[in-house]
Structure formats: C-alpha cells, structure tokens
Amino acid sequence: MSKTLTLAALQTHYGMDLDDNIARTVDLVRQAAAAGAQVILPSELFQGPYFCVAQEERWFAKAKPWREHPCVKALAPLAGELGVVIPISIFEREGPHYFNSLVMADADGSLMGVYRKSHIPDGPGYQEKYYFRPGDTGFKVWDTKHGRIGAGICWDQWYPECARAMALMGAQALLYPTAIGTEPHDATLDTALPWRRAMQGHAVSNVIPVVGANRIGFEPWEGYPNGGQRFYGSSFIADHRGDLIGDMGPDEEGFTSATVDLDFLDTHRAAWGFFRDRRPDLYGALSTGRPA
C-alpha cells in the first residue's frame, strides 16, 4: 500500500486577544484533524495582529523564548492529543535577539526544534527588519511521524533557492505560513495571484506538494486612523504539477485539506530528472552577493 500524507492549511482572522487567537486556531486544528489531516499549518504570527506595519517598540514585549511561547505551549500538547504535526509560527526572543520563527511540533507532542525566518522583508506595511534578525538556523527539514516536512516563513516563499534547498534535504512537502495582503503604498496592487504562482512554481520544479496558509480580514493600524491592511487569504495546497488540490477564497474561514501519494511522488520526482540533471558546478553566481 502506498504511503500517503494528508495536508491542511488553516485560514481565519486574528486580533489583539492572544487567548482568542489560540482558541480559534485550536478549533480549526481539531476540525482539520477530524477530517483526516495529518500535517496542519496555521498562518504566520497568529498570536496577534500583524504588527510589522510600523516601527513601534511596544511590540517587542510580545516575543517569548520558543519553548515558553503561549502558542507553543497550547498547540504542542494538542498535536500529541490528535496525533498530528503542527508547525507553529511565533515571535521569538532569544536573549537580546528577536526572530520570526517556526516551532515544529510532532504528532506525539514533542518539540522537534525551531526554524528562524531567513529572508526578512522591509517595505511599506511590512517593516519586519525593525523587529526581526535574519534567521541563523539555516533551512530546516524535519522527520516527523507523518513524513519529512520542510517549512519556510512568508517572504521565504518567494525564493526558489529556499524551496530547492529543502527539496535537496529530502523534504516530501513544503509548508509556508504567511501574513500578506494589501500594499499600503499602492491600493491598485494585488499580489494574491503572484503569491500563489511563485509557490506553484516551486511545486513544479521540485515535484513536491506545497501548502500556503494566510490570514484574512481587515486589521486597522492602531494609532493611524486612516491606515490598515486587508489580508487576502487564498490559502491553498498545490500538487507536484502546481495544480490546486486545496483552495480557499479571500474571505473564507476554515481549512482546506488534500491527500498526496508519497511513494508516487518519489518515483515521479526521480523520473523527471530535475535533481539528476542539476549542475552545481555552474551555480557559483547563486552563492555570491554581487556576481560579476
């Protein structure tokens, strides 16, 4: 019998109430697990509103050491109770250092470690460089009880190098928790489709399923009466062809799930030859900051 994996992406809105945000996520995890999901992905920084819209030092108080973070302490035992894998996105503090991080909770509730976001954006409405150091963990892939899972965080998902690195490390699925929506500097700019297409391309060129989980809803900017962002949801699961096998709308609340055949994917990936025909000897320009 083929080895299969059922993946799920959660999609909902979040606000200032940490307990409510956790409870909302727990409820959706339970729903997805009841539907058969084995790996369940909440969106990025679901502990609260997406606070990186401006540079305000008060938000640093919301960061916690990853083992002690309230989201980890709530969701890791839930993973063990339900027998599911949950990648948990958090605002992490390590001493004087702050990171946008992901803690992998295995299906027995154990904590497998932390990944720290590698690519940190800095632009209107997404001023993350003020809050987060660039990740120091390198890309991570985990041997969970349901499969070998790779995970990046939001801005990481735009970089083919991140996806390819995790695929080379043996990932069987790629997961990206996300917080993305309107662009404050340009009301006409809608990135929802390019956001999906970038990850669908990773699925095709690595012959691997990809999951993106985004939040929804309008989040007003506290202290900025005319400011705010509307997050466009559109969470999805793409198969190895880049076709959508799980799909949510821009305002839909809940989850989407899909099952993939890991044995088929192993064979199909080998048959395509993307990894056989790689030429690392020609890729030096990728490892230099400013190639000639």
Side-chain angles (χ1 to χ4, degrees):
M1 181 180 296
S2 293
K3 165 74 171 173
T4 62
L5 175 65
T6 302
L7 302 159
L10 308 184
Q11 181 169 292
T12 187
H13 64 278
Y14 293 107
M16 290 295 295
D17 189 330
L18 172 64
D19 292 337
D20 179 70
N21 295 334
I22 291 175
R24 183 183 305 279
T25 305
V26 166
D27 180 58
L28 289 176
V29 168
R30 289 190 180 279
Q31 291 182 42
Q38 297 166 295
V39 177
I40 301 173
L41 180 65
S43 59
E44 182 187 20
L45 296 173
F46 65 86
Q47 67 186 63
Y50 179 75
F51 54 86
C52 305
V53 296
Q55 299 180 15
E56 299 185 46
E57 61 185 34
R58 64 191 174 101
W59 293 109
F60 288 108
K62 302 296 184 180
K64 305 292 181 186
W66 65 269
R67 292 178 182 84
E68 303 169 17
H69 196 284
C71 292
V72 174
K73 293 178 77 171
L75 267 68
L78 181 68
E81 174 194 338
L82 300 175
V84 300
V85 175
I86 308 176
I88 307 167
S89 174
I90 63 166
F91 186 14
E92 179 200 0
R93 176 177 180 174
E94 183 190 58
H97 307 306
Y98 295 82
F99 299 96
N100 186 337
S101 300
L102 179 149
V103 178
M104 187 65 76
D106 205 356
D108 60 0
S110 63
L111 300 180
M112 303 188 74
V114 63
Y115 165 69
R116 292 167 176 156
K117 186 173 181 176
S118 300
H119 303 93
I120 310 298
D122 185 29
Y126 302 92
Q127 299 181 39
E128 294 194 15
K129 279 187 167 65
Y130 176 74
Y131 297 100
F132 311 129
R133 291 172 58 93
D136 58 4
T137 60
F139 302 124
K140 299 290 286 288
V141 171
W142 286 273
D143 278 314
T144 76
K145 295 187 180 301
H146 293 308
R148 189 163 171 82
I149 305 299
I153 302 172
C154 202
W155 194 225
D156 289 333
Q157 67 210 356
W158 296 88
Y159 291 83
E161 298 88 349
C162 175
R164 177 52 58 88
M166 291 189 288
L168 287 169
M169 296 164 69
Q172 295 174 300
L174 302 181
L175 278 57
Y176 296 100
T178 300
I180 189 170
T182 52
E183 304 290 338
H185 68 292
D186 185 352
T188 68
L189 183 57
D190 183 351
T191 61
L193 287 178
W195 172 74
R196 278 186 168 185
R197 288 173 186 145
M199 287 179 278
Q200 288 171 273
H202 303 332
V204 173
S205 58
N206 293 289
V207 193
I208 196 168
V210 173
V211 184
N214 192 19
R215 63 174 65 197
I216 59 172
F218 180 78
E219 294 184 9
W221 298 353
E222 189 176 341
Y224 298 83
N226 298 317
Q229 278 166 295
R230 183 170 298 280
F231 293 88
Y232 52 59
S234 304
S235 301
F236 71 95
I237 302 170
D239 69 7
H240 62 287
R241 292 167 41 89
D243 296 332
L244 297 183
I245 55 175
D247 184 15
M248 300 191 75
D251 300 303
E252 188 177 356
E253 189 160 16
F255 70 93
T256 184
S257 63
T259 300
V260 297
D261 185 326
L262 297 180
D263 291 336
F264 164 79
L265 289 172
D266 283 344
T267 301
H268 201 58
R269 190 177 300 114
W272 267 97
F274 291 146
F275 296 90
R276 177 197 64 212
D277 298 337
R278 291 182 68 249
R279 291 291 307 276
D281 54 309
L282 302 180
Y283 302 160
L286 298 179
S287 61
T288 60
R290 298 179 62 185

